[in-house]
Amino acid sequence: MKWIKQSLFSMTKLKLYSVLLSLMILMIGLISYGVYRGGLSSLWGDGQSTIPSTDSSAPESISISFWTPFSGGDISFMNELVQRYNRENTDHIVVTMKNNKSDDYYTKLSTAIVTEEAPDVAIVHASMFAQYIPAGFIQNIDKFAAKAQVHFTDFNPSILARTMVNEQHYAIPLDTHFSILYYNKKWLAKAGLYQDGKVQMQPGEQGFVDFLQKLQQHIPQDVAPLAVPNVRIDSLWLWWSLYAQIDGGGQLYTSDGTRASVNMPAAKKSLELVTSLYDQQLIPPNINDASNEFAQGKAALLFLGVWSIGSFEKVPDLDFGVMPFPQIYDHAGSWGDAHTLAFPTHHEQDPQKVLAAIKFANWLARNGAIWGEAGHVPAVQAEALSPAYLSLPFRKEYVAEANHVEYFPSHPKQIMMSDALINELEKIWYGKQSVDQMLNHLEPLINHILKE
């Protein structure tokens, strides 16, 4: 009987131990869960609940990817904007930016679109739209615009027009950028061409040539009167600026884009001027890095886009100014392009991510004064005219030129055409053909490319 009582007592203790052990395991589990979810205070310390809630009120973030092709000062300004947006936006959108080398940017972007690896938003130059829209590479955003609070009437009309096809919108315009003249105040003053804070240049073709010739006479021989590379695309920009200034110029194709149509008198007049500048070494030969030449004080004038202003401002002891490319012929204008924020197509489009990407792009455009620190003119008109933008050095000198940008023609084969024109111009600069020889086979060349 005693043995039975002892056995029962032992079994009772065993059950008690089991119950206590189970309670301890449960408490350890709860404590561990509480620490994982936010510390012990989530169990006891906040005085609100002893059991953590599984219903989180915090909305999920939306991650979007953003590709750019920027370099130099541009990328630092864009980095600043993206970081600020990630901190400040209340839509819980998180932007991850990837910067790519500009040389093969469009090859990578096109490949990514085809292979379904494209970003949610990407910088696309307006000059690429003639290729990208027919290929279905970027999407129409009209059905998202209102919900994203995009007001297209706020944008510069000439810039906005470059992002539209058949009155439909395919991007958020970010800026326009175009070629201007940078000048070294010391060299212009030495030649008597900079007085009372103003450049002394007479109007017209002769005034421009006289200005450069006078510079050449008064500055050291190792200083370029005007720096323009005779390779790459810069000399094409120069010729195009002049060709487009002439009434009836600035065209390569018929209105339907199927055949060549060049205004030969205008093309010849402008091309002969540029050729004369090289022949007289007013533009010295074999300039490979014109920006560096100017930064080192080895050029009195530099023909280049506004995007270099931010970089030149950081060069110690470089006393420089800027001016619009002069009106030499019938009307003002110089070559330019526009950065836009476009939205690559995906086979399975996520409307939530598209909307988030457009909201981000719209915010970037509406903070264009910060982006404008790199030199570009903001596409949002209020930003371009804002005190924040106009108070930056030099911007007042050229902001109005956003209305006189001479874009290349919008044509699917314009990139191929530009490459061909660069090659033809280089033949002239190196004495391998004359202006007349180039113009004689220019239209057959264009028609050949159009048929390819």
Side-chain angles (χ1 to χ4, degrees), residues 6-19:
Q6 287 177 340
S7 298
L8 289 171
F9 180 68
S10 298
M11 289 176 67
T12 302
K13 288 196 294 181
L14 183 61
K15 288 181 180 179
L16 180 63
Y17 290 149
S18 297
V19 171

Side-chain angles (χ1 to χ4, degrees), residues 89-217:
N89 87 85
T90 58
D91 293 310
H92 306 283
I93 299 169
V94 179
V95 180
T96 302
M97 184 174 74
K98 177 183 178 181
N99 197 50
N100 302 266
K101 291 182 179 179
S102 59
D103 293 345
D104 60 354
Y105 175 68
Y106 287 109
T107 301
K108 286 184 176 179
L109 181 59
S110 300
T111 302
I113 293 171
V114 171
T115 59
E116 289 293 324
E117 297 175 336
D120 300 299
V121 57
I123 293 292
V124 176
H125 285 84
S127 55
M128 292 296 296
F129 278 40
Q131 284 184 295
Y132 271 29
I133 293 176
F137 279 7
I138 55 179
Q139 58 181 307
N140 183 321
I141 62 170
D142 282 330
K143 65 180 180 180
F144 295 97
K147 194 170 184 180
Q149 297 185 337
V150 178
H151 305 294
F152 290 114
T153 54
D154 293 342
F155 292 87
N156 180 302
S158 65
I159 305 172
L160 181 67
R162 300 294 296 190
T163 67
M164 297 174 64
V165 174
N166 297 326
E167 300 184 356
Q168 296 180 325
H169 300 90
Y170 285 85
I172 303 292
L174 180 60
D175 67 47
T176 186
H177 46 273
F178 42 87
S179 294
I180 58 174
L181 286 182
Y182 297 80
Y183 57 87
N184 185 303
K185 295 179 181 180
K186 179 179 74 172
W187 296 131
L188 266 63
K190 184 177 177 63
L193 298 171
Y194 187 70
Q195 299 172 5
D196 301 323
K198 294 183 179 180
V199 176
Q200 305 297 310
M201 181 187 294
Q202 296 302 310
E205 182 179 298
Q206 193 59 51
F208 184 58
V209 174
D210 289 346
F211 184 90
L212 293 175
Q213 289 175 338
K214 192 169 183 180
L215 270 175
Q216 189 180 50
Q217 294 165 8

Side-chain angles (χ1 to χ4, degrees), residues 379-420:
V380 173
Q381 296 182 104
E383 287 294 297
L385 299 176
S386 68
Y389 181 73
L390 294 179
S391 65
L392 297 169
F394 312 120
R395 274 51 172 194
K396 287 182 180 179
E397 304 296 328
Y398 63 80
V399 64
E401 299 308 303
N403 298 313
H404 305 298
V405 177
E406 297 291 352
Y407 298 91
F408 285 140
S410 182
H411 195 282
K413 294 192 174 180
Q414 181 57 44
I415 292 176
M416 294 174 61
M417 203 67 65
S418 294
D419 289 341

Side-chain angles (χ1 to χ4, degrees), residues 293-318:
E293 296 259 327
F294 186 77
Q296 294 181 359
K298 295 296 183 180
L301 291 174
L302 171 68
F303 174 80
L304 193 63
V306 295
W307 55 80
S308 289
I309 286 180
S311 299
F312 288 142
E313 287 175 333
K314 298 175 183 177
V315 178
D317 303 321
L318 179 62

